[in-house]
Amino acid sequence: MTAVQFGELPFLKEDRGVWSCAYSPDGKALTLGLRNGEIKVYSTSNWDLIQTLKGHTNEVGRLAYSSKSDQIVTASWDGTARLWDTESGTCLHILSGHSGVVRGVAFSPLGDTVASAGVDYMVRVWDVGTGDCRFILIGHTATVPGVAYSPRGDQIASGSYDRTVRLWNLETGMCVRTLSGHGGQIWAISYSPKGKRLASSGGDTTVRIWDVETGDCCRVLTGHSGGVAAVAHSTQGDVIASASYDNTVRIWDAETGACRQILTGHSSGIECVVLSPRGDHIACGSNDNTVRVWDVGSEGTRQFATRHHSNVYSVKCSPHGDQVASCSRDKTIRLMDTETGVSRCVLTGHTYDVRCIAYSPRGDLIASGSHDRTVKLWDIETGACRQTFTGHTGFVSVVAYSPRGDQIASGDYSGTLKLWDITTGTCQYTLTGHFGWMTGILYSFTGTQIASSSSRDKTVRVWNAESGVCLHTLSGHTSSVWSIAYSPQGDLLASVSEDKTMRLWDMQTGECRQISIGHTGIVRIVVYSPQGSQVATGSDDGAARIWDMGTRECLHTLTGHTRGLTSCVYSSKGDYIVSGSEDRTARLWDVTSGQCRAVVKSINSTITSIEWSTTSDVDCFVIGYRDGNVSMWQVVENGDECHVPQRWRTVNGELVLTGTLIQDVHGLSRLNKQLLKQRGAKGEPFDRLRETSKKAMQMASVVSTLKQPSMEVVLESASTDNLTADLSEQLEHPEASAQSEQPMRQDLPEHPEQ
C-alpha cells in the first residue's frame, strides 16, 4: 500500500501472521499473538517492543489481559493455554486439559478465573491462583473458538461452529440460553460494557447483536464480503468494530447499527481487532504479518465524510433537507449531514457501480440501483439493507420512488421497466417496449402514472402505475430521448433529445403540444420550475435556456460555460438556477434577469450532479464530482451582491506518498516520520537533536583550534564542558533551541488534513 489514511499510525511489521491482539486495560501496552507461537508486547507511547514471551510451540490464536493489567492468558494451537506475568514475562501456569487446539480464552472481571475453549467442543474454567480446572461446560456439538465473561462475571458466553451462542450460569454451570440465527460458523463474541447486549460474528459475513436477557436478535450488521473473524465493543459501548477476511475493519454505531467507517490497508485477511481503553485507537492484526493502528478520535477520521473512491453519479437531498446522499462507481452510497458534512453512514452491499438513488417520501428509506442488476432498499437510520430486488437482466440505470411510498420503479440497460411492491418485496409488473438503456423514470405527482424514456427507441412511454398498462407512447423525437420532467400539476410532460429539441406532451391525450428549438447541441437536461411556469433545458452547446410555459417562448439563454452541461436545477423558490458543466464550473443564475450571479470553480474535476437543498432557512446546493468528492455551497445575498461560500466538502480519505520528498521538513514527530517512510516518502526530515549536536561539535572544534590570547578570555565561558552542558540542556528541552530557528519549509502537521 502506497497511501496513508488520515488518522492511521505506523504499522507494526512482524515475521509471521498476527492472529490475536489486546490492549492492556491501562492502555500502556498492546500485546500480539503470532502464528509462530510468540507473544510480543509493545509500548503504546512509542511503539517500542517491550518484551517477547516464548513457550507456545504453535500459533497463538487468542489472548486476554486481567483487569489489573498484571497478567495475560493465551490460547494456542499447541493444545494449551498459558498464564503469564506481564512484568517479568514468566509463565505462571500451563493450563492443560483440552484434547486439541485451544481456540479461545477470556479473563474474569475479578481476575480470579480464566476460561478457555477449543476444538474438543468444551469450555473449561481455570483457577488463576492454582492453575487447576474448576469445572467444564459441555453442550456445544462443534469447535468453540469464542468465549467471553459478562461484565459482572456471573455468566460466560461461548460461540461455536455449531452456529449457536450459549450463555452459561457460572454458579450452576448450566446453559441458561442458546442463541441461534447465524447462517454459518460463529468465530467471535463480545459483551457490551453493561452486559445487556452481546455481539457475535462468523463465517456468514454478518455481525449479530443479541439481547442477553431475552435471547432475541436485535440487529444484524451486514456489509462485509468475507467471514468476520473478530468483533469488539468500545469501553464506552457506543461503537462496535468488526474485522473480516475481506481485508477491512468496519466501525458500527452500536445503537443504530449504521456503518460509520471502513478501514482499509491490509493485504490479507484480518484475524483480530481491538479498541483502546479510551476508545481513541483501533488496532487490528492480519495474515499479511502487520498490525495497523488508527487514531479514530482524530478530526480527520471521526467527523467529516471521506470522498468516494471514484465517480459520483448522483447526489440527492432528503425530503426534510437534513441529509445528503451520494452514489458512486465505488459501489457505495454515502449519507452526510446537510449542515455540517459529518458522515452519517456508508451503505455497502452492491457489487458493482451504484448508478442511481431515490429517497422515499418520508425520507426514512433510500432506494439504489446498480450495475450488479439489483435494486436495494436501505434504512437510513441503521444503514441496514431492508430489501434486495432481483430480476433485472441488464444494468440498472434509473430508479424512482412512488409519491405514495408503496412502490419503486427501476429501469435497466435492456429497456425493461420493473415495478416493485415494497411491502412484499415482489415484482408487480415487468414493463417492456423500450429498447436501449433507460434514461429516465418519473412518477406523476399523484403517483398514478409513470413516464419512462430510453436511449434508442426515440419515444417516451406513459404507464398506469397500478395496472402496468401502457397509456401512451409519445413519438416524435428523431433521436434518443435523454431526459423527461413532469409539470407540478401533472398535466404536461417535457422531454429533450439528441435531436436538439424539447417537446411538451399533453398527459390526457398523449399529443405533442409544443416543439421548442434553439439549442445547437444535444439537449440532455430538462427541469420544471417549482411553480410550473417555466422549464429549463441544458445542452452540450454549453448553454441553459429558460422557457416560459405561458408563451412557450425562450425567456433567456444562459451562456458562460465553455463546455456541455451535466446538470441543471431550480432553487426551491424558483428564483435561481444552478448549472454544472464539463468545464468544471457551476454557475448560479438569476431567473428573472438571466444574469450569472456567481461562479463556483472546481480545480480538479468535472461536475457530475447538482441538487438544491430543501433547507428552509438557508439557500444551499450540493455538488457531486467525477473525482468522488461532494461539496455543499450556500447562497448569500447582500444587497446587489451575491456570494456563494463553501459550507463543507468531503475530505480525502488517504494521501498518496510514493516518491514524496520530505528532505529537511520541520515538525515531524517520530511516529509521523515512520509512517511517511513506510508509505514511500523519500529523504530525511529535519532532526533538531542531530543538528544541535552537529553545531556543538563544530563549536568545540573552534575552541580547540583558537590560540590567540585575546580570545581566551572571550571564549572562556564557551569551553567544551560548558558546550556539553548546553547540549544536554537542549536535549532535555529541545523546544528552547527551536524557538530561534527559522524552518526551511512549511511544517507538516501531526495529523495531515486535506
Side-chain angles (χ1 to χ4, degrees):
M1 181 180 177
T2 58
V4 55
Q5 298 178 64
F6 294 123
E8 188 179 1
L9 300 179
F11 61 73
L12 304 176
K13 182 69 175 177
E14 301 295 340
D15 295 328
R16 295 290 187 274
V18 182
W19 281 33
S20 56
C21 58
Y23 275 100
S24 61
D26 58 17
K28 295 181 179 180
L30 177 67
T31 300
L32 315 178
L34 305 183
R35 191 171 182 178
N36 63 3
E38 293 182 348
I39 301 127
K40 291 193 175 183
V41 184
Y42 288 89
S43 168
T44 56
S45 62
N46 54 20
W47 299 107
D48 285 343
L49 179 64
I50 299 174
Q51 59 183 346
T52 300
L53 311 180
K54 296 183 179 182
H56 285 297
T57 59
N58 213 326
E59 291 97 326
V60 178
R62 286 291 180 264
L63 59 88
Y65 268 93
S66 66
S67 58
K68 297 180 180 179
S69 301
D70 58 342
Q71 292 180 346
I72 297 172
V73 63
T74 55
S76 172
W77 284 44
D78 64 10
T80 69
R82 288 178 179 249
L83 200 62
W84 308 83
D85 181 89
T86 57
E87 186 172 348
S88 65
T90 57
C91 179
L92 302 176
H93 297 293
I94 299 176
L95 310 178
S96 301
H98 285 287
S99 58
V101 173
V102 182
R103 294 294 305 274
V105 285
F107 241 110
S108 68
L110 296 177
D112 56 340
T113 63
V114 295
S116 63
V119 298
D120 58 5
Y121 311 169
M122 299 179 185
V123 177
R124 289 176 176 264
V125 179
W126 309 81
D127 187 291
V128 169
T130 64
D132 295 333
C133 181
R134 287 190 178 181
F135 50 86
I136 304 172
L137 308 177
I138 301 175
H140 283 295
T141 59
T143 296
V144 185
V147 64
Y149 278 89
S150 66
R152 292 192 303 176
D154 59 341
Q155 188 180 80
I156 282 179
S158 56
S160 169
Y161 282 11
D162 64 14
R163 304 185 180 188
T164 68
V165 175
R166 288 178 176 259
L167 306 182
W168 308 86
N169 184 303
L170 287 186
E171 289 188 5
T172 64
M174 300 297 293
C175 176
V176 295
R177 188 162 282 108
T178 300
L179 313 179
S180 301
H182 275 286
Q185 299 173 350
I186 296 174
W187 296 342
I189 53 177
S190 171
Y191 274 99
S192 65
K194 294 182 180 179
K196 295 182 178 180
R197 299 285 175 90
L198 181 80
S200 60
S201 66
D204 63 2
T205 74
T206 70
V207 177
R208 286 180 175 261
I209 312 300
W210 307 87
D211 185 299
V212 172
E213 186 66 29
T214 65
D216 295 332
C217 180
C218 307
R219 187 166 284 111
V220 181
L221 310 182
T222 60
H224 283 295
S225 58
V228 184
V231 62
H233 281 85
S234 65
T235 53
Q236 295 81 11
D238 57 336
V239 164
I240 295 172
S242 59
S244 170
Y245 288 133
D246 65 10
N247 305 352
T248 70
V249 169
R250 287 176 177 257
I251 303 174
W252 311 85
D253 186 296
E255 184 64 29
T256 66
C259 178
R260 296 303 188 194
Q261 195 173 354
I262 303 173
L263 305 178
T264 61
H266 282 293
S267 59
S268 188
I270 304 174
E271 295 283 355
C272 54
V273 66
V274 65
L275 292 98
S276 65
R278 292 194 303 176
D280 54 347
H281 290 87
I282 285 181
C284 54
S286 165
N287 285 318
D288 64 10
N289 300 351
T290 68
V291 175
R292 292 182 181 266
V293 183
W294 282 270
D295 180 0
V296 292
S298 66
E299 294 299 310
T301 60
R302 184 179 55 182
Q303 289 194 5
F304 296 107
T306 56
R307 71 176 180 89
H308 289 282
H309 299 300
S310 190
N311 301 18
V312 174
Y313 289 123
S314 180
V315 290
K316 297 291 183 183
C317 291
S318 64
H320 304 299
D322 60 335
Q323 188 180 86
V324 172
S326 58
C327 64
S328 169
R329 190 177 181 180
D330 68 5
K331 312 172 190 176
T332 70
I333 302 109
R334 293 175 185 264
L335 307 182
M336 294 152 280
D337 185 273
T338 301
E339 293 292 327
T340 63
V342 169
S343 175
R344 288 192 176 182
C345 197
V346 181
L347 309 180
T348 60
H350 282 296
T351 56
Y352 286 97
D353 308 18
V354 184
R355 292 303 301 257
C356 47
I357 49 177
Y359 274 100
S360 66
R362 294 194 303 175
D364 57 336
L365 300 171
I366 193 167
S368 60
S370 168
H371 277 191
D372 63 11
R373 298 178 170 85
T374 69
V375 175
K376 288 181 179 288
L377 188 62
W378 308 86
D379 186 310
I380 66 167
E381 182 65 28
T382 66
C385 180
R386 288 270 195 92
Q387 298 265 13
T388 298
F389 304 106
T390 60
H392 278 291
T393 58
F395 300 155
V396 179
S397 55
V398 285
V399 66
Y401 225 112
S402 163
R404 300 175 179 178
D406 59 346
Q407 191 181 71
I408 291 173
S410 58
D412 64 25
Y413 270 44
S414 70
T416 300
L417 174 67
K418 286 182 176 288
L419 306 185
W420 308 92
D421 186 296
I422 293 174
T423 304
T424 64
T426 58
C427 178
Q428 293 176 298
Y429 302 105
T430 298
L431 312 180
T432 60
H434 286 296
F435 59 94
W437 73 84
M438 301 288 291
T439 57
I441 292 183
L442 284 177
Y443 278 91
S444 63
F445 288 90
T446 59
T448 58
Q449 290 183 352
I450 298 171
S452 60
S453 60
S454 174
S455 64
R456 293 182 182 176
D457 62 14
K458 309 172 188 177
T459 68
V460 177
R461 290 176 180 260
V462 182
W463 312 82
N464 184 299
E466 295 179 354
S467 65
V469 173
C470 182
L471 303 175
H472 303 292
T473 299
L474 311 180
S475 302
H477 283 294
T478 59
S479 192
S480 301
V481 180
W482 285 105
S483 182
I484 53 178
Y486 266 109
S487 66
Q489 296 78 20
D491 57 335
L492 294 174
L493 181 81
S495 62
V496 292
S497 167
E498 197 167 326
D499 64 13
K500 306 177 185 178
T501 69
M502 176 185 71
R503 289 176 178 256
L504 291 178
W505 308 88
D506 187 301
M507 287 294 94
Q508 286 293 326
T509 64
E511 296 178 354
C512 180
R513 290 268 196 92
Q514 175 77 20
I515 302 174
S516 300
I517 302 173
H519 284 292
T520 59
I522 296 172
V523 189
R524 298 185 185 273
I525 306 158
V526 61
V527 287
Y528 260 95
S529 66
Q531 297 80 15
S533 59
Q534 294 177 351
V535 167
T537 54
S539 168
D540 283 1
D541 62 14
R545 287 176 176 259
I546 301 176
W547 307 85
D548 187 292
M549 289 295 97
T551 64
R552 309 291 170 85
E553 298 293 330
C554 180
L555 292 175
H556 302 291
T557 300
L558 312 179
T559 59
H561 288 295
T562 59
R563 297 188 65 183
L565 269 60
T566 58
S567 189
C568 187
V569 294
Y570 272 94
S571 65
S572 55
K573 298 176 183 177
D575 51 347
Y576 288 115
I577 284 176
V578 183
S579 58
S581 167
E582 291 181 346
D583 66 6
R584 301 185 178 184
T585 69
R587 289 178 175 263
L588 180 72
W589 308 88
D590 185 288
V591 167
T592 303
S593 66
Q595 297 298 309
C596 180
R597 302 298 306 277
V599 180
V600 172
K601 295 182 179 180
S602 170
I603 298 175
N604 299 318
S605 184
T606 298
I607 293 169
T608 57
S609 180
I610 299 179
E611 180 89 347
W612 195 273
S613 172
T614 55
T615 304
S616 58
D617 298 335
V618 183
D619 285 325
C620 295
F621 57 91
V622 60
I623 300 177
Y625 300 87
R626 188 165 292 168
D627 66 0
N629 273 303
V630 177
S631 63
M632 176 70 78
W633 303 81
Q634 180 177 345
V635 179
V636 180
E637 293 185 2
N638 185 12
D640 294 335
E641 296 183 353
C642 183
H643 303 284
V644 185
Q646 181 175 282
R647 299 189 72 182
W648 54 261
R649 183 184 180 93
T650 52
V651 298
N652 289 323
E654 59 186 32
L655 187 66
V656 178
L657 296 166
T658 303
T660 300
L661 186 64
I662 58 172
Q663 183 68 35
D664 295 329
V665 171
H666 286 239
L668 284 179
S669 68
R670 175 188 171 190
L671 288 181
N672 277 343
K673 173 185 174 182
Q674 183 181 356
L675 180 62
L676 296 176
K677 298 282 278 186
Q678 283 180 350
R679 298 308 190 280
K682 296 182 179 180
E684 287 297 323
F686 180 84
D687 190 326
R688 185 179 299 135
L689 301 184
R690 181 188 64 201
E691 291 299 314
T692 303
S693 176
K694 181 178 178 181
K695 290 177 182 179
M697 296 303 295
Q698 289 174 345
M699 293 181 69
S701 177
V702 171
V703 171
S704 65
T705 56
L706 289 173
K707 303 298 183 182
Q708 292 86 342
S710 59
M711 293 295 293
E712 289 179 1
V713 176
V714 177
L715 294 175
E716 185 176 8
S717 62
S719 66
T720 55
D721 290 340
N722 288 334
L723 283 172
T724 303
D726 291 342
L727 177 58
S728 299
E729 175 86 7
Q730 292 175 11
L731 289 172
E732 293 180 8
H733 307 285
E735 66 277 0
S737 63
Q739 293 175 356
S740 62
E741 296 176 358
Q742 296 297 322
M744 298 178 66
R745 61 181 70 183
Q746 184 177 358
D747 292 356
L748 291 178
E750 283 287 314
H751 299 288
E753 298 290 348
Q754 180 179 340

